[in-house]
């Protein structure tokens, strides 16, 4: 990295008409991967970007890596969030980053993922062309620890084979029918900050922890359309997320899908017949976990608002089988 004195990243005249994009990087104990993530943002062809790094590590490795970048690039900000917790599903670090973003558009980036160099430019292009678009996503390429490409897993399979404008409700219903985040995680999606009227990870009036991205996408899709770009514009290490999966997180995932499903019915995103069909699928898929959901009052990954939604949904299950 250049050791020149701190320089302005943006030429003011060049960026006068380009909306600012905030890239928010949540970092935790992986400085070797964070370097690749950060460099992929610095290499973007889109010029008007701010970078904010939120660090909730247990050591000083991330801070040491970031320090020389802070000297050389004045569009990079760094905040240490040790008080928000130290797990990759921590909501506090994410909410801190979101509150600090000053860009019109926001794209999160996990420290273990990285961007294609044209990602932001191509995604902003669709927002500027299509006024009713609320999120832009793309195919995401799975990679290993060394960045080598791997075959897709079920959740990262290609949604479409050409760039497409998709009705927001239809895409949301597709996710509900599969109980799968086919849109992509935080790294993959660009959205307008002002469109998140409830805030990050909120849907139906409640925060979600394990499915914070799904809750956010459903909130956006309830307001308008989505664009899917068929080429890979983000590179993700899915297996790292798999290593984090525990019985607790699985239970949280089950409860939050229930909350999202019920909220989608309550806010008229889906009709009664659709709700009943999705509810049957949810019940048949996770019936064996119901007793744990009912007894999960002190469960660390299930917030009380989500638990109440889940219990409401459980009350509806006997009724759909009596129809």
């Amino acid at each position: 990295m250049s050791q020149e004195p701190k320089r302005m990243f943006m030429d003011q005249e060049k960026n006068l008409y380009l909306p600012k994009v905030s890239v928010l990087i949540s970092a935790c104990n992986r400085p070797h991967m964070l370097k690749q993530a950060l460099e992929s943002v610095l290499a973007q062809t889109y010029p008007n970007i701010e970078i904010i790094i939120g660090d909730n590590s247990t050591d000083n490795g991330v801070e040491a890596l970031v320090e020389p970048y802070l000297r050389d690039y004045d569009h990079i900000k760094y905040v240490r969030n040790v008080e928000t917790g130290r797990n990759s599903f921590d909501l506090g670090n994410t909410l801190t980053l979101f509150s600090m973003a000053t860009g019109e558009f926001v794209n999160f980036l996990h420290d273990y993922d990285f961007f294609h160099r044209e990602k932001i430019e191509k995604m902003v292009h669709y927002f500027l062309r299509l006024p009713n678009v609320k999120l832009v996503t793309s195919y995401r390429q799975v990679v290993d620890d060394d960045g080598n490409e791997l075959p897709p897993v079920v959740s990262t399979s290609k949604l479409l084979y050409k760039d497409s404008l998709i009705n927001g409700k239809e895409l949301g219903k597709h996710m509900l029918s599969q109980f799968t985040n086919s849109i992509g995680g935080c790294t993959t999606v660009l959205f307008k900050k002002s469109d998140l009227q409830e805030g990050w990870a909120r849907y139906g009036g409640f925060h979600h922890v394990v499915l914070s991205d799904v809750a956010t996408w459903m909130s956006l899709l309830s307001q308008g359309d989505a664009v899917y770009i068929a080429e890979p514009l983000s590179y993700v290490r899915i297996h790292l997320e798999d290593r984090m999966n525990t019985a607790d997180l699985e239970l949280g995932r089950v409860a939050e899908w229930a909350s999202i499903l019920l909220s989608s019915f309550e806010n008229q995103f889906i009709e009664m017949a659709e709700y009943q069909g999705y509810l049957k699928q949810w019940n048949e898929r996770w019936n064996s976990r119901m007793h744990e959901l009912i007894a999960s009052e002190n469960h660390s990954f299930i917030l009380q608002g989500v638990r109440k939604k889940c219990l409401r949904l459980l009350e509806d299950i006997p009724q759909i089988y009596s129809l």
Side-chain angles (χ1 to χ4, degrees), residues 293-295 306-316:
L293 290 169
I294 294 171
V306 168
R307 183 174 182 274
K308 290 177 182 178
K309 285 268 187 180
C310 190
L311 294 177
R312 281 271 315 281
L313 180 141
L314 290 175
E315 293 173 1
D316 289 344

Side-chain angles (χ1 to χ4, degrees), residues 1-245:
M1 186 174 61
S2 170
Q3 297 301 313
E4 300 173 9
K6 180 179 283 189
R7 58 189 179 276
M8 290 296 292
F9 171 65
M10 299 175 295
D11 177 85
Q12 295 297 325
E13 184 176 354
K14 180 190 294 184
N15 295 295
L16 186 61
Y17 302 106
L18 291 174
K20 183 193 291 186
V21 175
S22 298
V23 175
L24 310 178
I25 306 177
S26 181
C28 184
N29 292 335
R30 287 180 286 265
H32 59 297
M33 290 186 174
L34 172 62
K35 180 177 176 62
Q36 184 178 29
L38 181 54
E39 290 286 352
S40 77
V41 185
L42 292 173
Q44 289 297 298
T45 56
Y46 187 82
N48 196 358
I49 294 175
E50 72 169 357
I51 303 169
I52 309 176
I53 302 167
D55 178 14
N56 63 348
S57 300
T58 57
D59 56 37
N60 296 320
V62 166
E63 186 174 10
L65 173 76
V66 170
E67 186 179 22
Y69 287 94
L70 295 174
R71 290 197 302 266
D72 280 4
Y73 297 93
D74 64 356
H75 68 298
I76 300 177
K77 300 174 185 175
Y78 168 83
V79 59
R80 189 71 182 266
N81 289 319
V82 292
E83 72 281 359
T84 66
R86 294 189 176 104
N87 64 72
S88 295
F89 288 91
D90 174 61
L91 194 58
N93 196 27
T94 304
L95 293 176
T96 297
L97 286 168
F98 188 70
S99 69
M100 293 177 64
T102 63
E104 181 178 349
F105 296 96
V106 169
N107 203 131
F108 282 93
L109 173 59
H110 290 303
D111 59 354
Y112 48 83
D113 297 336
F114 56 98
F115 288 165
H116 184 285
R117 65 188 301 271
E118 295 180 318
K119 179 188 194 300
I120 301 300
E121 179 183 357
K122 290 189 174 185
M123 290 190 166
V124 170
H125 167 75
Y126 280 109
F127 272 107
L128 298 180
R129 281 184 54 202
L130 303 170
N132 197 44
V133 167
K134 298 302 177 181
L135 68 83
V136 179
T137 187
S138 75
Y139 177 64
R140 52 205 191 277
Q141 176 64 56
V142 182
V143 296
D144 63 17
D145 285 355
D146 298 319
N148 301 310
E149 295 185 2
L150 296 173
V153 298
V154 173
S155 62
T156 66
S157 297
K158 186 161 285 193
L159 198 59
L160 296 162
Y161 287 88
K162 64 178 182 178
D163 293 5
S164 303
L165 177 66
I166 310 173
N167 177 273
K169 283 195 173 183
E170 292 305 312
L171 183 54
K173 291 175 185 179
H174 174 75
M175 288 205 299
L176 289 174
S177 69
Q178 305 291 321
F179 294 109
T180 299
N181 182 5
S182 51
I183 290 176
C186 303
T187 293
T188 308
V189 177
L190 180 74
F191 59 92
K192 187 177 290 187
K193 185 178 183 181
S194 61
D195 284 336
L196 279 188
Q197 299 166 7
E198 290 191 80
W200 175 260
R202 290 183 66 87
Y203 183 59
F206 296 107
H207 269 120
H208 297 73
V209 178
V210 184
L211 298 179
S212 59
D213 47 6
V214 175
T216 302
W217 309 156
M218 292 297 290
S219 176
L220 292 169
L221 293 174
S222 68
Q223 303 172 54
D225 298 329
V227 166
Y228 179 81
I229 299 175
E231 65 179 300
L233 295 181
S234 58
Y235 299 85
V236 299
R237 291 181 169 96
I238 296 293
H239 62 287
L240 276 178
E241 295 178 353
D242 290 342
R243 292 173 195 167
M244 301 168 197
N245 286 343

